[in-house]
Amino acid sequence: MDVARRPAQSAPGIATQDLTDARLQVASWGTPVEELALLDPPPAGTWEAAGQRLSSLGAIDEAGTATALGRTLASLPLDPPLGRALLASSAILGASKAARFVALLSEDLRAPGADLGALERRLGRAGASDAGIGKAQAARVKETQARLERLARRLAETGAGDDRGASTWDCAAKGRTREDELALTCALAYPEWIARRRTNSTAYILAGGVGAELPQGCPLEGQEWLAVASIDRAPASRHARILAAVPLSEEDALAAGAALVATRTQASIRKGALRATRTRALGAIPLSSAPASSLSEEEATALVAEHLASRGLGDLCWGKEASSLRERMRVLHDVLGEPWPDVSDEALAGSARRWLAPWAKHLASGASLNCVSMLDALRSMLPWPQAARLDELVPEKMPIPSGGTRPVDWSGAHPVLTLRVQQAFGWTDTPRLVDGRVPLVLHLTDPAGRPAAVTSDLTSFWAGPYRDVRAQLRGRYPKHPWPEDPLHAQPTNRAKRRG
């Protein structure tokens, strides 16, 4: 039965294996993976995770190009995390200790009670029979240690190593115990697995963003920081299980995970004004947070732009004139296209850094978003010299037969002009706007302003539907003219004259 359920062929290795070393080799070659003649492309998620891991090691830069350290790691007969740990820790602890710890980390570790420090101590003190690992595994660790020590000494002689050097950790080098040294080596290998205990919880958050828990009764419970060497995560579990870890000082956590330490500025709009908070974090681990006492103009515009992109444009002050201009510009873009700009929510949010620039100083000082004149912002986007035809193409108001003007409503699918039936007498040529491409829709009302008819073809309206409107309304509004021949009647804004 098991054989029958098996797939016809096993999945290719590129779809199931860790691709950290493969991605580093590709980065060192300098050839995009898309240009390689691979039988199967790497899964996007696995490839991205490999890139994040290499970035945390300092092996690739933001563009995905191998750094000097990355090129050295690519040349070593070691997985990149272990190679980085060997290079960096041998410069601090010496080749013998570094090789010892990296040899231990190269094993499939499942420490009793997840206590990696206790495992290492027992292994060094009593041998395999009392170490919680088999004799074969103990022999492998010893053999690997010897090989790695030779490699570390050879690299030291040739001057290869972590391009940041041992000085990065000199400030914390004094007074380390052997367990501290193991923790630093582990953190250098797996900076994404540096863990900090959550506030008021026994659970941990890893720098890579994964939640994790220690096994019950673990002697490491209560430790603020851990260097994690091995984790396991069941598909249905909220947290990963920590299988091997060792207590880590905050100073060494920050040094080993230096590539992941960043200060981010987050903003919100409270009471109409920009309020920013600066948060320093090691990957997903928060370190400190405080209100931003001052912002640069560039920061202010960038933060407001991010807020508009995520929350919409509702916090801006849209007056009647600005809203009307935006609606007219929308029609021009939809009908004529370039060079008339896109003024949709998405487009305005995407270009916000540019049009917010004139108010950057005010925003940086904490002024309300009301200081941003959206009317001026929209006017600054109008293309010249085409903007000279704005009122001709999409008029804000239009003259009507009875005299005066009425506003055009551009907010809907078609422009709308509202007037009373009596004001339209004699009008037969319904206007077409935007160079004749868009018909004007007339909303004709009774004398009280209630809807009587909707048309974009006045000639047809006077010839037919007007009769029904006249029959229904002339008895209700006898003081207003309802001629049988509206085509030749005088349009009026007034009721009939008396007597």
Side-chain angles (χ1 to χ4, degrees):
M1 293 296 291
D2 289 341
V3 174
R5 287 196 294 266
R6 289 177 183 172
Q9 58 187 26
S10 58
I14 198 170
T16 60
Q17 297 176 6
D18 178 71
L19 300 180
T20 304
D21 184 58
R23 177 148 188 177
L24 180 57
Q25 297 298 332
V26 171
S28 299
W29 297 338
T31 303
V33 68
E34 296 82 8
E35 297 180 12
L36 298 178
L38 301 175
L39 293 176
D40 299 283
T46 309
W47 193 253
E48 179 64 25
Q52 292 175 355
R53 192 169 300 116
L54 291 171
S55 179
S56 73
L57 296 173
I60 61 174
D61 58 22
E62 291 182 359
T65 304
T67 61
L69 171 61
R71 289 190 291 273
T72 300
L73 295 180
S75 68
L76 300 181
L78 276 173
D79 285 339
L82 298 179
R84 191 263 184 133
L86 181 67
L87 286 171
S89 61
S90 61
I92 307 162
L93 312 176
S96 179
K97 278 186 180 179
R100 168 70 172 184
F101 296 146
V102 173
L104 180 61
L105 294 175
S106 69
E107 293 296 308
D108 181 17
L109 291 172
R110 292 175 180 267
D115 190 346
L116 181 61
L119 173 61
E120 195 278 329
R121 288 193 298 273
R122 292 200 302 271
L123 179 60
R125 183 173 60 244
S129 62
D130 187 42
I133 59 176
K135 291 182 179 181
Q137 194 173 30
R140 276 199 311 275
V141 170
K142 186 174 181 180
E143 180 182 345
T144 302
Q145 177 184 349
R147 176 173 60 83
L148 294 180
E149 186 172 347
R150 291 193 296 272
L151 176 61
R153 295 189 188 282
R154 186 169 70 251
L155 290 170
E157 291 172 1
T158 60
D162 189 329
D163 53 359
R164 284 165 294 187
S167 60
T168 305
W169 295 279
D170 281 350
C171 60
K174 297 179 181 179
R176 281 200 188 96
T177 65
R178 185 178 181 86
E179 188 173 76
D180 293 335
E181 294 170 339
L182 171 61
L184 175 59
T185 305
C186 181
L188 288 166
Y190 307 113
E192 283 188 310
W193 289 352
I194 293 172
R196 188 179 193 183
R197 186 166 56 89
R198 296 183 187 273
T199 304
N200 300 322
S201 173
T202 58
Y204 286 79
I205 177 68
L206 305 187
V210 177
E213 291 178 331
L214 290 164
Q216 277 192 334
C218 174
L220 303 179
E221 282 185 4
Q223 293 289 338
E224 182 71 11
W225 290 87
L226 295 175
V228 177
S230 181
I231 62 172
D232 183 23
R233 188 172 188 179
S237 175
R238 291 178 56 247
H239 293 94
R241 289 185 303 155
I242 297 175
L243 303 179
V246 60
L248 178 70
S249 70
E250 181 174 352
E251 194 171 14
D252 281 350
L254 297 178
L260 296 174
V261 176
T263 299
R264 303 177 182 88
T265 304
Q266 297 174 310
S268 61
I269 305 298
R270 296 196 295 272
K271 296 183 179 179
L274 177 67
R275 297 290 180 265
T277 302
R278 296 199 194 279
T279 302
R280 186 166 177 259
L282 194 166
I285 300 173
L287 300 172
S288 61
S289 181
S293 57
S294 63
L295 293 171
S296 68
E297 294 182 14
E298 292 76 12
E299 278 184 308
T301 53
L303 291 169
V304 173
E306 289 173 9
H307 176 83
L308 298 179
S310 62
R311 300 292 182 89
L313 309 182
D315 287 313
L316 296 168
C317 184
W318 290 95
K320 185 177 180 181
E321 285 184 277
S323 297
S324 174
L325 177 58
R326 183 187 181 191
E327 290 159 358
R328 295 157 69 199
M329 292 172 68
R330 171 187 59 80
V331 172
L332 288 170
H333 177 76
D334 291 347
V335 177
L336 301 179
E338 296 296 338
W340 298 100
D342 183 357
V343 289
S344 64
D345 282 9
E346 296 76 12
L348 287 177
S351 62
R353 295 192 189 196
R354 182 173 67 251
W355 54 261
L356 282 170
W359 299 277
K361 184 176 182 179
H362 300 288
L363 294 172
S365 66
S368 169
L369 262 64
N370 288 342
C371 74
V372 178
S373 168
M374 290 311 299
L375 180 61
D376 289 343
L378 291 171
R379 283 173 175 166
S380 71
M381 301 176 200
L382 290 170
W384 293 94
Q386 291 86 350
R389 298 189 63 209
L390 176 70
D391 290 333
E392 173 193 343
L393 295 170
V394 283
E396 191 172 11
K397 296 181 179 181
M398 286 194 64
I400 60 174
S402 61
T405 60
R406 288 291 183 273
V408 180
D409 181 0
W410 293 92
S411 61
H414 299 281
V416 172
L417 181 71
T418 301
L419 72 166
R420 296 199 301 272
V421 174
Q422 287 76 16
Q423 293 172 319
F425 289 160
W427 200 4
T428 57
D429 297 325
T430 311
R432 296 182 66 86
L433 307 176
V434 195
D435 276 344
R437 291 176 170 86
V438 179
L440 178 67
V441 177
L442 298 176
H443 283 201
L444 302 175
T445 72
D446 63 22
R450 288 188 288 262
V454 175
T455 183
S456 57
D457 184 353
L458 275 171
T459 301
S460 297
F461 171 72
W462 297 132
Y466 169 72
R467 296 191 184 93
D468 295 330
V469 171
R470 177 176 181 269
Q472 293 173 9
L473 298 179
R474 65 175 180 167
R476 189 182 305 169
Y477 301 100
K479 294 182 180 180
H480 293 267
W482 298 99
E484 292 186 8
D485 183 8
L487 286 174
H488 297 93
Q490 183 70 28
T492 179
N493 295 323
R494 302 172 179 274
K496 295 178 183 178
R497 293 183 181 179
R498 292 186 179 179

